[in-house]
Amino acid sequence: MYNPHEFLVDNVKRQVAEFLVSKGFAVEPAQVEVRKAPKTFGDLAVPLFTISKVVKGLSVEEVSTLFGGFKPSGLVKSSKVENNFLNLVVDEKRYAEVVYSSVVRLGDNYGFVPAETRERIIVEHVSANPIHPLHVGHLRNGVLGDSLVRLLRARGHEVKAHFYVDDVGLQVAYAAKAFSIVGGEGQGKKDHFVGTLYTAINLLIEVKKLREKAKSASGDELAEINSKVSEYLWRLGELSEKFPGLIEKLLEWVEKTEDPEAELRRLNRMYEEGDPSTVKLTRRVLDYCLEGIRETLDRLGISFDSWDWESELTVWSGATSDVIDKLRGLGLVERRDGALVFRADLLAESEDVRRAAGIPPGFTVTPMTLVRSDGTTLYTTRDIAYSIWKLSRADRVINVIAVQQTLAQAQLRLALYALGYRDVGRRLIHYSYEMVNLPGTRMSSRRGVYVSADEVIEEAVARAKEEIAKRGVGDVGDAEKVGIGALKFFFLSQTPGKVLTFDWKRVLDFEQNSGPFVQYSYVRALGILRKASEEHIRPDELNVGDVGEEEHPLILLVGEFPNVVKEAADNLRPDLLASYLNTLATEFNRYYDSYPVLRAPTTSKKYSRLAVVKMVEQTLKNGMKLLGIEAPQRM
RNA sequence: GGGCCCGUAGCGCAGUCAGGAAGCGCGGCGGCCUCCUAAGCCGCAGGUCCCGGGUUCGAUUCCCGGCGGGCCCGCCA
């Protein structure tokens, strides 16, 4: 028994259908709709207007009257017709047997309902530019991606987590040049050091350009330029304080170089061509920075099975030029001002193509430049080649990518459709998430305006340490688990499709509706079980034979868990699981406060309550694992 | 100008896909630790579900039109 909730619902459907059949109406169990009832009405509800649609010739009122005579049995202990709903209360004693035996038998695998077909799935996520530290946006991406990986694995799929290393774009040349100017390695965390260089060289070049522009500007334009220049200089001053000496070296290069941007474009082209010394120079900074990024990811418990280098997979392999040649051969490419343009817009005129490529009707698709007039390719062009690589290794590819890329991802799918991937809409999924806002500002890695993931982690862990110390129960060494648990829950508990404003107060709120709240509830359950074991009560002595009304809500919730995991995995909705865990934790805390377990009125009550606590503990544990949240033993 | 997303209690959000019984947290107010960890629990206050039409027996949910906010429409990524 993998899914007690489904078993329960099937039981209800059968009873309702049999009841109708006994009254002379031919109804199949599958035609009966069962949903969760609002708490005050019961556990489950059958909307009777749906029955009146299925049963010909009966009005809702007649159906309601009819169900007044419904006698529940099996897993249902009572029923009542209210507001055109048949409200049902589950028999917690009988249902508890079903749920408990499932939890005990499956243990750490409780909640994992195997999918009908086992798919090979690639989840590509984080994929941050390897030239600066991860910021809060990447944190949202990685936490979501990682929980998708875990959820899909729980469904029995063969899932690989991939990190796409974008080492081809022009921005890489900036970092590489800056890194070589200052002579490589510096102090501090590696990715932060590289990020500083990257920001600094960007700002320096920007200032140089603005000053050039200022010479021929006047009035408002000049004022605007001056204000930008002073803002950038102020940022540079800050960086200079953090890393004395570096900025001066970069400044020297920017000053003495006639056209720094042209120089960087040249460097970029040489990298694309695979020039050995440029590759060596560039890879040095990228590897260096990735070490820092990996350190952050390790700390977060986010791991990858594959690091896919854009240069190797798409450029040096020749895959991108193959793609361009093939698209040209299909007659969907035209030349505009020396550039090659893929007419995604023409392709999107067909409704059939849209359906197959997963483009919503009405969504405006624009043409897409494949090759610049200087012969170099663009990110999305190379992404076509990369996607082909991924599609050859998986049944389904899930890309966790910001919502801003929606159009580019649509163009990508259309290109793949044209190249023969007729089911690309189903196989290549843009798992889109909204951006993370900083109150007041707009983040930009290039300008160095961002909150790094490391800062956020540090702050959360420090806060956790404080809280643990304040209480004196737990181990301050668990601050890492609690702080990071808080962070992950924060990002997971909100639907990905909504803009998230990064609010320190909410991230560091460890009360209800938070990671630490769920962890705390788990620890409480664990504490009871620990004491039981100190009393030499063996797990096999526990049973749910004497559960009652008090345990009713917990039994229902625990039984629902596998179904929640299934829904969360199949619909790619980790937030469903986060919200479920919060509900279970809340319900458990209520129970904890209201009913003594170890000091239950009778021995048989005690053993049954312990069995329920055991179920809750197992469920919270398995659920947190799926969100990538670790739990301490005490806190 | 076109497209996509969002608008639900003072604030942050769930519910909207498959229409049917308005929910959670924070904040506010008031209670609860001689009893398994108070990161907890209980109670109270707080809502024209942005507005206007339409479809429907029934709309926060679907459709149309507005309004407000965000994002995208680059030979950037």
Side-chain angles (χ1 to χ4, degrees):
Chain A
M1 163 81 53
Y2 285 111
N3 192 338
H5 179 78
E6 195 179 74
F7 182 78
L8 170 66
V9 168
D10 285 347
N11 182 276
V12 169
K13 286 182 178 179
R14 213 179 49 243
Q15 286 189 48
V16 170
E18 278 169 9
F19 174 74
L20 286 166
V21 168
S22 78
K23 298 289 177 190
F25 303 101
V27 172
E28 293 294 319
Q31 292 174 287
V32 179
E33 186 186 325
V34 178
R35 56 178 78 168
K36 283 179 71 181
K39 234 182 192 163
T40 47
F41 292 103
D43 299 314
L44 298 172
V46 178
L48 295 176
F49 29 84
T50 63
I51 297 290
S52 88
K53 271 175 197 156
V54 172
V55 179
K56 288 171 266 310
L58 277 190
S59 69
V60 180
E61 292 70 27
E62 286 166 326
V63 174
S64 293
T65 312
L66 189 67
F67 272 91
F70 178 73
K71 293 275 175 292
S73 62
L75 293 173
V76 182
K77 72 175 176 189
S78 70
S79 70
K80 200 194 262 179
V81 176
E82 289 157 296
N83 308 329
N84 297 329
F85 284 91
L86 176 67
N87 291 316
L88 304 162
V89 177
V90 171
D91 184 326
E92 66 275 342
K93 265 192 167 56
R94 288 184 186 164
Y95 188 48
E97 297 291 350
V98 176
V99 178
Y100 187 61
S101 67
S102 181
V103 175
V104 167
R105 199 160 49 77
L106 295 170
D108 286 347
N109 289 320
Y110 178 65
F112 302 4
V113 185
E116 290 76 30
T117 48
R118 187 165 192 258
E119 288 179 87
R120 292 175 307 154
I121 300 175
I122 286 176
V123 178
E124 185 221 311
H125 66 110
V126 184
S127 302
N129 272 327
I131 49 168
H132 53 66
L134 303 180
H135 55 64
V136 286
H138 300 116
L139 211 44
R140 187 178 202 183
N141 183 317
V143 169
L144 283 167
D146 186 57
S147 76
L148 290 179
V149 170
R150 292 167 190 266
L151 281 165
L152 291 166
R153 282 189 182 142
R155 287 287 268 146
H157 298 302
E158 188 190 307
V159 186
K160 300 282 182 216
H162 286 231
F163 188 116
Y164 188 40
V165 184
D166 176 12
D167 61 330
V168 177
L170 188 59
Q171 75 285 350
V172 170
Y174 280 68
K177 187 72 208 178
F179 198 63
S180 76
I181 290 169
V182 304
E185 323 195 349
Q187 76 275 43
K189 194 161 173 289
K190 294 175 175 175
D191 47 340
H192 286 257
F193 179 68
V194 175
T196 301
L197 293 177
Y198 174 66
T199 298
I201 196 164
N202 264 299
L203 291 173
L204 286 166
I205 291 173
E206 204 55 37
V207 167
K208 181 173 181 168
K209 272 166 62 188
L210 285 169
R211 282 183 169 155
E212 204 57 46
K213 226 169 122 188
K215 286 178 187 165
S216 59
S218 62
D220 288 353
E221 197 195 354
L222 184 62
E224 199 186 310
I225 289 173
N226 283 333
S227 110
K228 264 190 186 165
V229 166
S230 60
E231 184 206 327
Y232 293 172
L233 288 177
W234 183 77
R235 293 276 311 123
L236 282 162
E238 276 190 327
L239 296 179
S240 174
E241 259 172 52
K242 253 167 58 187
F243 298 94
L246 293 188
I247 309 303
E248 291 70 15
K249 284 187 192 169
L250 295 177
L251 175 64
E252 195 191 324
W253 179 78
V254 171
E255 288 298 313
K256 78 168 188 227
T257 307
E258 178 71 30
D259 186 350
E261 285 180 303
E263 171 63 17
L264 293 167
R265 278 196 298 273
R266 194 184 59 84
L267 202 63
N268 178 228
R269 197 157 43 244
M270 285 171 72
Y271 185 71
E272 282 204 38
E273 284 160 7
D275 169 67
S277 71
T278 309
V279 168
K280 204 173 156 202
L281 175 94
T282 307
R283 283 299 175 100
R284 230 176 97 220
V285 66
L286 299 182
D287 287 331
Y288 188 76
C289 187
L290 278 170
E291 273 183 56
I293 289 176
R294 249 182 264 233
E295 200 181 300
T296 305
L297 292 169
D298 285 347
R299 194 172 179 193
L300 289 165
I302 297 175
S303 63
F304 288 90
D305 302 297
S306 180
W307 298 76
D308 307 338
W309 291 77
E310 184 178 20
S311 55
E312 295 166 19
L313 262 31
T314 74
V315 181
W316 302 343
S317 69
T320 302
S321 19
D322 284 353
V323 162
I324 294 162
D325 289 345
K326 280 187 188 136
L327 284 172
R328 292 184 80 171
L330 290 164
L332 288 161
V333 175
E334 61 184 49
R335 194 169 281 280
R336 282 188 189 176
D337 304 323
L340 290 182
V341 174
F342 165 57
R343 294 300 301 274
D345 54 324
L346 291 182
L347 211 47
E349 281 174 10
S350 151
E351 293 302 320
D352 290 340
V353 173
R354 277 179 180 259
R355 245 191 311 282
I359 315 292
F363 183 87
T364 306
V365 178
T366 54
M368 165 197 163
T369 303
L370 289 174
V371 182
R372 295 188 188 95
S373 45
D374 71 355
T376 57
T377 57
L378 286 99
Y379 177 85
T380 310
T381 314
R382 299 186 296 267
D383 204 7
I384 301 169
Y386 177 47
S387 299
I388 291 172
W389 184 87
K390 285 186 286 189
L391 287 167
S392 72
R393 282 163 179 75
D395 303 312
R396 191 151 50 118
V397 175
I398 297 167
N399 297 324
V400 182
I401 300 177
V403 67
Q404 285 91 328
Q405 304 260 11
T406 303
L407 174 61
Q409 288 288 308
Q411 292 167 330
L412 168 69
R413 288 196 301 278
L414 285 164
L416 287 161
Y417 175 89
L419 292 168
Y421 293 84
R422 294 293 141 104
D423 51 359
V424 67
R426 193 181 54 75
R427 290 184 62 202
L428 187 70
I429 293 147
H430 175 198
Y431 185 79
S432 149
Y433 67 95
E434 263 286 2
M435 56 181 207
V436 179
N437 266 343
L438 241 43
T441 41
R442 165 122 205 237
M443 281 197 279
S444 158
S445 303
R446 203 169 52 76
R447 284 182 295 123
V449 182
Y450 55 83
V451 177
S452 78
D454 293 310
E455 288 172 66
V456 176
I457 295 168
E458 276 308 323
E459 193 65 33
V461 170
R463 172 73 202 284
K465 194 174 276 179
E466 237 173 73
E467 292 292 318
I468 293 170
K470 195 165 86 192
R471 282 155 236 269
V473 183
D475 178 356
V476 287
D478 283 331
E480 198 76 13
K481 292 178 184 170
V482 175
I484 287 171
L487 262 185
K488 288 192 174 181
F489 197 92
F490 170 78
F491 285 111
L492 290 170
S493 57
Q494 190 157 161
T495 28
K498 280 193 182 179
V499 177
L500 194 153
T501 299
F502 190 83
D503 176 3
W504 277 110
K505 241 180 44 215
R506 268 197 322 119
V507 179
L508 300 181
D509 176 10
F510 291 179
E511 290 178 36
Q512 206 166 337
N513 213 345
S514 75
F517 173 72
V518 175
Q519 289 168 321
Y520 176 71
S521 313
Y522 167 76
V523 163
R524 280 182 136 183
L526 212 55
I528 295 176
L529 296 173
R530 189 187 304 116
K531 291 203 165 132
S533 135
E534 282 162 9
E535 289 179 24
H536 303 291
I537 296 171
R538 296 193 316 273
D540 60 279
E541 291 179 275
L542 307 183
N543 66 80
V544 287
D546 202 12
V547 296
E549 294 283 348
E550 317 90 87
E551 288 79 26
H552 186 106
L554 286 175
I555 292 162
L556 264 290
L557 276 171
V558 170
E560 209 186 322
F561 177 63
N563 206 54
V564 172
V565 174
K566 184 181 157 193
E567 293 289 319
D570 293 356
N571 299 307
L572 308 178
R573 291 281 307 275
D575 55 299
L576 296 180
L577 181 54
S579 146
Y580 166 85
L581 289 177
N582 183 58
T583 306
L584 178 60
T586 303
E587 202 57 62
F588 179 68
N589 279 308
R590 203 192 325 268
Y591 182 74
Y592 186 99
D593 265 34
S594 313
Y595 307 104
V597 174
L598 295 168
R599 257 157 285 187
T602 66
T603 309
S604 76
K605 272 270 172 222
K606 174 172 168 179
Y607 279 49
S608 286
R609 286 181 176 179
L610 279 169
V612 170
V613 172
K614 175 67 198 162
M615 293 200 284
V616 171
E617 179 265 336
Q618 184 70 255
T619 302
L620 287 172
K621 180 180 169 189
N622 295 2
M624 284 189 286
K625 183 114 197 278
L626 289 172
L627 297 183
I629 293 174
E630 287 187 77
Q633 298 293 301
R634 298 167 204 268
M635 66 187 278

